[in-house]
Amino acid sequence: MHCATLYEVAGQQDADIFGTLTDEQWHDCRKQIVECILNTDMVNHFGNVGKLQNFFEVSGVEVSNFVNAVASGAADVAVPEVFTDAVEGPKNRLLLQETFLHAADLSNPVKPLAVYQKWVHRVTEEFFSQGEKERSVGFPVSAMMDRATTNIPNMQVG
C-alpha cells in the first residue's frame, strides 16, 4: 500500500520525481524503494541492527569523517569508498536507505503526544483493515491485526 501510494502521488504531473529517469534508472530506483519499504517490517529489525553494527565497526570512522567534512562546508569532499565500491557500495547505500526509512517508521513515540496519538490511530486502523481483509479471504489474522483481541497500549511497547 505504501509503495502504491508513493507511485500514485509521484505519478501526478507536478510531483513526478521519476520523470527524467531512464528505464534502467527507474527500475533500479523502484527496486530500492520496494526493498526499503519491505525492510520496515519488524521481523527484520534485529538483523538490521546487526548489519548496521557491523557496518559501523568496519566503516564508521570513514563515514563519520565524511559527514563531518560535508557538514562543516568543506569543498570537494570525496565520497567514501564504502559507498562507491562497485560491489559493496550499492549494498552499503541500500543498508543506510533502509535504516533511515526504518528509523522514520519507528519515530512516532518521540513526537509530541498529540501527533503520536494521531499516528497510533492511523497505524492501528491500517493494521485492523489488513486483519479484516485476511479474515474475509479465509487467512489466519496476523499478530496485532485483529481489532477484537489487540491491546493497543501493549502493541506500542518495544
Side-chain angles (χ1 to χ4, degrees):
M1 185 165 129
H2 296 94
C3 193
T5 302
L6 166 68
Y7 281 94
E8 181 181 322
V9 171
Q12 298 172 13
Q13 187 174 12
D14 60 340
D16 186 5
I17 60 174
F18 306 113
T20 61
L21 300 179
T22 65
D23 284 348
E24 182 180 358
Q25 290 170 327
W26 187 89
H27 287 289
D28 288 344
C29 184
R30 180 163 174 83
K31 180 181 177 195
Q32 289 177 22
I33 289 168
V34 169
E35 287 182 33
C36 287
I37 291 171
L38 292 175
N39 193 62
T40 62
D41 190 320
M42 284 303 293
V43 74
N44 301 314
H45 179 77
F46 292 106
N48 291 339
V49 169
K51 288 180 195 175
L52 196 58
Q53 286 173 329
N54 288 340
F55 176 79
F56 182 75
E57 287 175 15
V58 172
S59 306
V61 172
E62 181 181 11
V63 172
S64 292
N65 290 342
F66 170 72
V67 169
N68 291 334
V70 170
S72 71
D76 298 324
V77 180
V79 175
E81 184 178 349
V82 68
F83 297 127
T84 60
D85 178 76
V87 175
E88 294 301 315
K91 294 177 193 175
N92 292 330
R93 291 191 305 269
L94 182 61
L95 173 64
L96 292 186
Q97 291 167 349
E98 291 171 342
T99 300
F100 294 148
L101 186 59
H102 187 54
D105 192 44
L106 297 176
S107 69
N108 287 318
V110 297
K111 293 178 180 167
L113 184 59
V115 173
Y116 171 63
Q117 288 173 327
K118 286 179 185 178
W119 277 106
V120 167
H121 176 73
R122 289 175 178 160
V123 169
T124 55
E125 282 304 311
E126 179 182 334
F127 283 9
F128 296 156
S129 175
Q130 178 178 327
E132 290 161 3
K133 287 178 185 175
E134 290 172 346
R135 183 177 286 114
S136 74
V137 296
F139 290 165
V141 178
S142 300
M144 299 187 301
M145 306 289 177
D146 191 336
R147 188 182 305 273
T149 62
T150 299
N151 181 312
I152 293 173
N154 285 350
M155 75 185 287
Q156 302 300 301
V157 179

